Amino acid sequence: MLDLSLKEIQSKLVTDFERGLNSKQHQQRLKKDGENILQKTHSISPISIFLSQFKDAMVLVLLMATLISGILGEIYDGITIVIIIMLNAVLGFIQEYKAEKSLQALSKLTAPKTKVIRDGKTVNVDTKELVVGDIVLLSSGDKVPADLRIIEEYSLEVDESALTGESVPVVKDATKMVDGINIADAVNSCFKGTSVTKGRGKGVVVATGMDTAMGQIADMIQTAGNEPTPLQIRLAQLGKILVTICLIVSVLVVLVGIWRGEDIYKMFLAGVSLAVAAIPEGLPAIVTVCLAIGVQRMLRRRAIVRKLPAVETLGCATVVCSDKTGTLTQNKMTVEKVYFDNSNIEVTGNGYEPRGQLFLKNQTVSTENKILEKLMEIAVLCNNATLHKKEIPIKGMFRKGKDNWSIDGDPTEGALLVLGAKTGWWKEKLLTNYKIFKEFPFDSSRKMMSVVVDKGASKFTLTKGAPDIVLDKCTKILEKGIEQPLTESKKETIKRVIEDYGKEGYRNIALSYNTYTNDYSVESNMIFVGVCAISDPPRPEVFSAVEKCKRAGIKTVMITGDHKDTATAIARQLKILPEYGKVLTGIDMSSMSFEELKEVVDEVYVYARVLPEHKLKIVKALKAIGHTVAMTGDGINDGPAIKEADIGIAMGITGTEVTKEAASLILTDDNFATIVEAVEEGRSIYDNIRKFIRFLLSCNIGEIMTMLLAMLMGLPLPLKPIQILWVNLATDGLPAMALGLEKAEKGIMERKPRGKNESIFSRGLDFKIFSRGMLIGFITLTMFIIGYRKSMGDIEFARTMAFATLICAQLFHVFDCKSEDKSIFEINIFSNLYLVFAVLSSSVLMLIVIYLPSLQGVFSTKPLELTDWLWIVCIVCIPYAIQMIKLILLFVFKPKAVTTK
Ligand code: ATP
């Protein structure tokens, strides 16, 4: 279709370039051609998740044990082991399936959107719903959603490297006809999967899904899966090491036993028991579940996790670099002051309602003023926003609200439209006299925008942009209705006005024009008209969020394209910029070497008038001095910096598709406070992972110690493999899961961030795990010996004592794991009801196994008496008695410490 004219395409595709398809046509085509997707994204099937449960090392050990038990005639043992394996697999499956589902639901949330014209209205739709004939609107940062023939374009440039490998963006031209089918030459078309780097455009969809150029090479495209997090990788490695060690130890124990003349089957049983005891089989599944729960919690706090590692890394963030406009501020813009013809005018009215007046020293300014007229022309015509009455639901119907005005498009431009409307200059009215026939779009590198308009016989360029940039392009000024030379002293006066506005926190836009001759001279020798000062108040919630960051040892840095004075004023208001803090501008940065930037980067709190490439330099410098950096971005050029940052954050509302794709986190509300909440959530998730690792590993060590010590002492096995399996299944799993649901501990945002490469076992966790594991093993063995003596050698009774002690010790210990630095007496043990419920159900399961006659045979248990339970509870409480004594001592001696101070 590349070689057809637009007219031919319009009739061939039965569409309307102005109004787009209607809903009926769209539905019919969608039904006929299918969704606009390259291939069904492959999702893991429930069956493969279930089968993966049997790949586990422990399961293999157990299956082998079952086989050998069967060969040795112990069918009963074999069947029970198989049942437990199955139960374990079902539990593992439920956990992983849920985790997988919630991650899949997440990818739906980040599904790309496209702006199309349907039924004559501009709407944002899911990209996969596009059909041939749809009219698509493209702008900088968009991913081209399907193969398009361009209808109109304004400085449209597209990066087609994904398709052609050529990294230089291609300049598109709707008017060019091409005769071949070579993609690289097709300047009148855009292709699915490429990205718009500059400008705007409108195109008609000519191919979707697998029919697109990208579809034809779809097999070659790698779809990124869910990457494992660094912690998951490290835990998988740890798991392998533990499995190897415990298998070696088990084999050694078996061999030594046989060598000592023990029964082969008994020793084999001992070896299997030890292996079963040692392998932390639940760990990887619970980590996955915990991360998935974290992802859900973040979503509730309006942060979408795109890459799972971000959940972990967020807790390490030491610097959050944030955009100003819309993230730290509300993006609700109002022009409050206008400067033209040496006069400082105040504008009244609030929000987007076009009601307000202009005052000069308390006197109303007449709108019949030539310069004001020119100013409004530029403000309103060099503008892509639209101002309209918002449709609000009234009695179930959508009606246009009376005073409910809103804008579509860039809020800065919206504010200028409202200013125009306040003085009677509506875009629709102006367009009856003017025709816009060219546009040089705004982008954050140029920091200005121009349109070329046709008014009768003359053509003008109307330009608006950052005042420092626009002023540099001006040689004349409009004063008293006449074009005068813009002398240095006049420039100085204007600069002072801009500086004053900036210091008051206003975002400034300068307006200028000239007569259009050709494209090369559009933005030179311009005539300066005036400046609009736009207020954009800080978001109220950001004040406390910045404060929270400070307490949490996280530095907040503002990076903005806005002027230094405006940025400084807002940063001071938000207390981001301390007295001693430095402000750097893009120009300062350009003259600095990387080494020089590294020297000062820790003292800089505000970067103003930066270009997108400066962001990358800032991230690199911060990382080079050891920071873990979270960086926000919205424009297409922010991609590299976002990728380079440890946590790349894209804006959900204003962010471009390309930026979202590069990011690991998307803020659905573009709000800085949400980043801080996500950091808090990240810290809490990591804490929870440490909590259940502490619990699970100390339980495992407890089990190993029980078995190993007994063997070294030449005692009979204190626990049968089935009993250990039961403990691992019914006692460890549930409470560990519940620990993953703990709420954030108080004061979580009062601690310093943890190091990025910090081991999960740091801050004394290894010691805690090992010492408590030893203690659990020791007391279990002690109760085994006591039970053995008391029952005069009844091995089943003694094992039941050991079994009950082990479970009780673990169920008590789970409450210790709720906090890293507080004892069980200083926390509310009922704060997590899931945990209370898990402990209760594990206790009931234990009692069933001990007292239900039909299970006593299976698990070789004997009923215990009240005195036995008293013994068990007493011994299990020893560590808590020690904790209590410590607390009392601390309480008694603390006042003394204070008085000596
Ligand atoms: P952030 O803080 O998110 O970086 P910003 O809006 O301050 O955003 P840019 O969007 O790069 O940064 O804008 C830089 C400057 O360009 C603004 O200070 C303003 O003077 C000018 N400007 C902003 N939007 C427009 C626009 N639509 N047309 C012309 N000039 C604009």
Side-chain angles (χ1 to χ4, degrees):
M1 225 171 278
L2 300 179
D3 47 356
L4 297 185
S5 74
L6 282 172
K7 228 178 178 169
E8 287 167 319
I9 290 182
Q10 174 148 280
S11 65
K12 191 163 180 210
L13 300 182
V14 197
T15 184
D16 182 329
F17 287 171
E18 293 309 317
R19 298 190 49 81
L21 297 175
N22 60 41
S23 315
K24 203 171 151 205
Q25 278 173 314
H26 167 251
Q27 281 307 323
Q28 281 167 348
R29 292 184 192 194
L30 190 62
K31 220 172 174 184
K32 187 171 144 272
D33 300 337
E35 289 186 327
N36 173 34
I37 44 176
L38 285 185
Q39 60 205 141
K40 277 252 167 284
T41 39
H42 114 113
S43 62
I44 306 168
S45 75
I47 294 176
S48 62
I49 295 179
F50 186 71
L51 290 180
S52 73
Q53 307 301 316
F54 297 95
K55 284 189 204 145
D56 208 74
M58 184 209 70
V59 175
L60 295 180
V61 171
L62 286 177
L63 286 175
M64 209 177 70
T66 316
L67 194 75
I68 298 178
S69 304
I71 295 170
L72 294 176
E74 301 286 337
I75 306 285
Y76 201 45
D77 267 8
I79 293 175
T80 321
I81 293 176
V82 168
I83 293 175
I84 293 186
I85 294 176
M86 291 309 283
L87 272 179
N88 214 351
V90 169
L91 261 189
F93 166 76
I94 295 174
Q95 292 169 355
E96 275 188 43
Y97 185 69
K98 270 193 160 171
E100 178 69 20
K101 276 271 150 227
S102 65
L103 292 178
Q104 270 177 24
L106 207 68
S107 64
K108 276 196 194 118
L109 280 177
T110 53
K113 300 259 182 200
T114 303
K115 240 187 203 164
V116 297
I117 303 178
R118 285 219 193 111
D119 293 313
K121 279 190 192 145
T122 306
V123 279
N124 237 348
V125 299
D126 273 348
T127 299
K128 64 173 193 233
E129 285 178 11
L130 286 191
V131 295
V132 169
D134 261 329
I135 307 300
V136 170
L137 299 175
L138 293 175
S139 55
S140 160
D142 282 350
K143 274 247 144 181
V144 177
D147 284 2
L148 312 172
R149 171 71 154 82
I150 304 165
I151 303 168
E152 57 189 46
E153 103 299 311
Y154 303 98
S155 311
L156 185 65
E157 289 185 20
V158 179
D159 173 359
E160 294 185 340
S161 54
L163 207 58
T164 60
E166 177 53 70
S167 59
V168 181
V170 181
V171 181
K172 297 290 174 182
D173 187 343
T175 56
K176 280 252 167 71
M177 290 297 292
V178 286
D179 45 11
I181 46 158
N182 192 351
I183 290 167
D185 299 331
V187 290
N188 63 5
S189 303
C190 288
F191 301 95
K192 184 175 174 71
T194 58
S195 14
V196 180
T197 52
K198 217 173 152 195
R200 293 195 300 123
K202 181 166 140 183
V204 55
V205 176
V206 292
T208 59
M210 293 304 278
D211 297 335
T212 58
M214 194 60 111
Q216 273 139 46
I217 54 162
D219 291 344
M220 286 150 52
I221 300 162
Q222 297 283 320
T223 43
N226 254 325
E227 317 159 40
T229 73
L231 184 62
Q232 280 178 311
I233 296 170
R234 268 186 270 147
L235 284 179
Q237 285 162 353
L238 175 78
K240 275 188 197 140
I241 296 170
L242 286 181
V243 168
T244 320
I245 293 176
C246 78
L247 286 181
I248 293 172
V249 173
S250 308
V251 171
L252 272 181
V253 167
V254 173
L255 292 180
V256 170
I258 295 171
W259 178 67
R260 273 201 334 221
E262 300 273 3
D263 176 37
I264 293 183
Y265 180 65
K266 202 178 130 201
M267 282 328 292
F268 164 72
L269 216 61
V272 171
S273 316
L274 205 59
V276 168
I279 301 172
E281 61 283 356
L283 209 58
I286 300 183
V287 171
T288 315
V289 173
C290 193
L291 289 171
I293 292 169
V295 165
Q296 291 297 333
R297 281 194 189 174
M298 293 221 188
L299 189 59
R300 255 176 267 141
R301 292 184 164 207
R302 297 172 297 278
I304 302 175
V305 178
R306 277 202 75 245
K307 295 177 188 156
L308 210 48
V311 180
E312 264 171 55
T313 331
L314 264 169
C316 311
T318 56
V319 181
V320 179
C321 297
S322 173
D323 285 341
K324 173 180 73 70
T325 312
T327 314
L328 294 167
T329 63
Q330 301 181 18
N331 223 359
K332 281 198 185 129
M333 311 228 184
T334 319
V335 179
E336 290 189 353
K337 292 181 181 175
V338 182
Y339 173 83
F340 65 88
D341 206 6
N342 284 312
S343 313
N344 221 324
I345 313 281
E346 308 264 339
V347 186
T348 61
N350 246 326
Y352 297 126
E353 196 186 342
R355 206 178 294 162
Q357 281 176 311
L358 272 58
F359 288 98
L360 175 63
K361 294 187 186 129
N362 295 332
Q363 298 284 314
T364 323
V365 176
S366 154
T367 49
E368 314 250 310
N369 175 314
K370 280 274 170 249
I371 304 184
L372 187 64
E373 197 175 303
K374 194 77 206 165
L375 192 121
M376 295 305 167
E377 263 173 34
I378 305 169
V380 174
L381 289 173
C382 182
N383 197 316
N384 285 316
T386 52
L387 174 66
H388 52 84
K389 276 191 176 162
K390 215 186 330 196
E391 294 202 333
I392 48 164
I394 303 171
K395 289 185 186 157
M397 301 270 286
F398 279 87
R399 309 245 168 91
K400 288 200 162 84
K402 199 166 151 254
D403 293 324
N404 230 316
W405 289 85
S406 78
I407 56 133
D408 272 340
D410 179 356
T412 307
E413 298 190 346
L416 295 173
L417 276 191
V418 174
L419 172 73
K422 279 176 184 170
T423 45
W425 298 98
W426 291 84
K427 198 171 185 174
E428 297 73 15
K429 196 168 119 189
L430 279 170
L431 283 176
T432 52
N433 289 330
Y434 290 89
K435 193 171 168 285
I436 301 172
F437 73 95
K438 228 178 189 66
E439 180 185 322
F440 299 86
F442 172 80
D443 76 45
S444 43
S445 304
R446 280 167 23 86
K447 300 193 192 320
M448 59 179 177
M449 164 186 177
S450 301
V451 289
V452 183
V453 293
D454 202 332
K455 189 187 184 190
S458 19
K459 287 186 177 124
F460 296 100
T461 307
L462 310 179
T463 301
K464 73 175 195 314
D468 34 340
I469 313 275
V470 173
L471 210 53
D472 272 352
K473 313 260 174 208
C474 294
T475 49
K476 289 185 181 158
I477 182 168
L478 199 57
E479 276 177 339
K480 312 265 175 278
I482 309 165
E483 293 173 10
Q484 308 261 17
L486 180 62
T487 58
E488 276 312 308
S489 81
K490 284 181 184 167
K491 253 191 189 173
E492 279 313 308
T493 313
I494 299 168
K495 278 185 184 163
R496 262 199 306 279
V497 172
I498 297 165
E499 198 180 308
D500 288 346
Y501 283 166
K503 282 185 179 152
E504 289 174 60
Y506 287 114
R507 176 182 174 76
N508 298 319
I509 298 279
L511 307 145
S512 62
Y513 73 98
N514 68 6
T515 312
Y516 174 80
T517 44
N518 57 47
D519 277 5
Y520 302 103
S521 59
V522 270
E523 286 166 349
S524 58
N525 293 325
M526 305 212 76
I527 300 124
F528 182 86
V529 182
V531 179
C532 295
I534 304 175
S535 71
D536 179 19
R539 288 178 182 261
E541 61 277 27
V542 170
F543 290 88
S544 58
V546 170
E547 185 54 38
K548 212 176 196 179
C549 278
K550 264 186 213 157
R551 275 186 273 123
I554 304 167
K555 178 180 169 187
T556 309
V557 174
M558 176 195 280
I559 303 183
T560 177
D562 216 335
H563 193 271
K564 185 178 175 179
D565 292 332
T566 313
T568 307
I570 303 275
R572 286 233 191 271
Q573 270 185 46
L574 287 169
K575 298 209 164 61
I576 288 175
L577 181 64
E579 281 305 320
Y580 55 86
K582 285 199 171 128
V583 181
L584 275 193
T585 64
I587 295 175
D588 300 335
M589 280 185 68
S590 302
S591 60
M592 271 180 172
S593 71
F594 184 66
E595 287 306 314
E596 283 168 332
L597 180 63
K598 248 169 68 182
E599 293 279 304
V600 295
V601 76
D602 229 6
E603 296 151 35
V604 181
Y605 288 78
V606 176
Y607 295 88
R609 273 286 187 265
V610 290
L611 298 175
E613 59 263 30
H614 292 137
K615 280 193 172 179
L616 184 62
K617 219 167 152 187
I618 298 167
V619 178
K620 283 190 173 160
L622 284 167
K623 280 175 83 174
I625 61 163
H627 278 294
T628 304
V629 187
M631 163 77 84
T632 68
D634 45 15
I636 177 164
N637 300 324
D638 292 341
I642 282 193
K643 269 202 186 129
E644 177 68 27
D646 298 283
I647 309 133
I649 306 171
M651 299 299 146
I653 305 169
T654 54
T656 58
E657 284 300 329
V658 174
T659 325
K660 285 183 196 165
E661 222 176 62
S664 39
L665 198 75
I666 300 176
L667 307 179
T668 58
D669 59 356
D670 291 11
N671 190 343
F672 176 80
T674 305
I675 307 176
V676 183
E677 287 186 26
V679 169
E680 186 170 352
E681 203 54 72
R683 286 187 176 194
S684 143
I685 292 162
Y686 193 81
D687 272 8
N688 288 354
I689 293 178
R690 268 172 70 98
K691 283 174 195 172
F692 67 68
I693 285 182
R694 174 181 171 187
F695 172 67
L696 276 182
L697 291 190
S698 47
C699 290
N700 275 30
I701 291 178
E703 290 160 20
I704 298 171
M705 289 326 289
T706 311
M707 303 300 285
L708 205 60
L709 287 177
M711 278 182 221
L712 293 177
M713 289 163 72
L715 293 172
L717 286 181
L719 293 162
K720 288 187 76 179
I722 290 177
Q723 291 171 337
I724 300 180
L725 271 179
W726 185 253
V727 173
N728 282 353
L729 176 78
T731 316
D732 294 357
L734 272 183
M737 282 278 297
L739 275 176
L741 294 167
E742 280 283 309
K743 290 191 199 101
E745 269 183 70
K746 260 195 205 128
I748 196 165
M749 290 300 269
E750 309 281 320
R751 352 174 172 125
K752 297 273 159 281
R754 65 167 210 277
K756 202 171 22 177
N757 297 319
E758 184 189 289
S759 150
I760 185 92
F761 299 109
S762 67
R763 290 180 269 140
L765 193 70
D766 42 6
F767 177 74
K768 279 185 191 147
I769 292 173
F770 193 71
S771 57
R772 183 45 83 94
M774 292 286 284
L775 194 66
I776 292 176
F778 186 71
I779 59 177
T780 307
L781 192 63
T782 307
M783 288 313 288
F784 173 71
I785 297 171
I786 291 175
Y788 198 64
R789 292 260 164 87
K790 186 187 164 205
S791 63
M792 311 280 213
D794 180 346
I795 185 73
E796 292 203 338
F797 175 78
R799 280 189 179 142
T800 312
M801 286 288 271
F803 179 67
T805 309
L806 180 65
I807 294 180
C808 289
Q810 293 185 350
L811 293 183
F812 271 62
H813 179 47
V814 76
F815 291 107
D816 286 318
C817 300
K818 276 172 74 83
S819 171
E820 295 218 5
D821 45 11
K822 293 201 176 71
S823 78
I824 207 165
F825 303 105
E826 295 163 284
I827 54 168
N828 173 9
I829 56 170
F830 300 107
S831 64
N832 177 0
L833 289 179
Y834 295 106
L835 188 63
V836 176
F837 175 75
V839 168
L840 283 180
S841 23
S842 295
S843 311
V844 171
L845 287 172
M846 170 185 73
L847 295 177
I848 291 174
V849 166
I850 294 177
Y851 291 103
L852 201 71
S854 52
L855 288 181
Q856 282 170 352
V858 178
F859 286 92
S860 314
T861 50
K862 286 256 168 95
L864 301 180
E865 291 168 6
L866 192 64
T867 46
D868 302 326
W869 284 112
L870 282 177
W871 268 104
I872 292 171
V873 171
C874 281
I875 199 161
V876 164
C877 281
I878 289 175
Y880 302 102
I882 298 172
Q883 273 182 19
M884 182 67 118
I885 293 170
K886 256 201 219 162
L887 273 180
I888 294 172
L889 288 179
L890 217 72
F891 182 74
V892 173
F893 290 108
K894 205 174 168 190
K896 270 190 186 163
V898 173
T899 44
T900 50
K901 239 187 172 180

